[in-house]
Amino acid sequence: FFIPTTPVMGRYIKVEFRDSTAKSPMQIGCFGACEVWESPIDFAPAPAITIVDESEIFKVNYGSIFVVRRGIRRRMNFGFPALESDEVLNRTLGLALIKGRSQPIVAVAYPDDEGNLEKTSIYGLVSNDNVLTNLFFGHYSQPFQIDQLI
């Protein structure tokens, strides 16, 4: 992930790679640019990344255990404790319920920690419906749960 330190607005993006010493052509797995939403407040209390193992375990009667190996993914749970109602209804609710279900989202917990972006970031889809709770008048709690795409 590359996250600019200042806001960037543009219509076109050009990326140019030059490596005249390479013995083989450079390969890029995935490239994309997207809109960024930055919360006006911090996570609550901190994002949690868990491992999801989808392997199936079968036990034979009076016998051994048979395992069908499936994918292992990461799941990130995070939320915001008190977003204003217009922020939730205009931005984050649509991000979570519409874009996050049909299109992948990138969630970056600590964008300033450039050395660990691949460890604290996740690229995936929203996996649970978001339950909005009204903390007090005009403010809502907004939770997210994102499963990593493999």
Side-chain angles (χ1 to χ4, degrees), residues 1-43:
F1 296 113
F2 171 72
I3 302 167
T5 55
T6 58
V8 177
M9 295 180 68
R11 182 175 292 186
Y12 303 101
I13 296 173
K14 178 181 178 182
V15 178
E16 188 173 330
F17 297 95
R18 293 183 184 176
D19 188 1
S20 59
T21 62
K23 294 180 182 178
S24 61
M26 184 179 295
Q27 296 180 0
I28 300 173
C30 182
F31 176 79
C34 60
E35 176 187 7
V36 173
W37 172 76
E38 184 176 352
S39 172
I41 60 173
D42 204 359
F43 291 114

Side-chain angles (χ1 to χ4, degrees), residues 52-69:
V52 178
D53 185 359
E54 296 178 337
S55 298
E56 296 180 73
I57 301 173
F58 301 100
K59 188 173 183 180
V60 179
N61 290 340
Y62 307 106
S64 60
I65 295 174
F66 178 69
V67 178
V68 177
R69 295 190 183 272

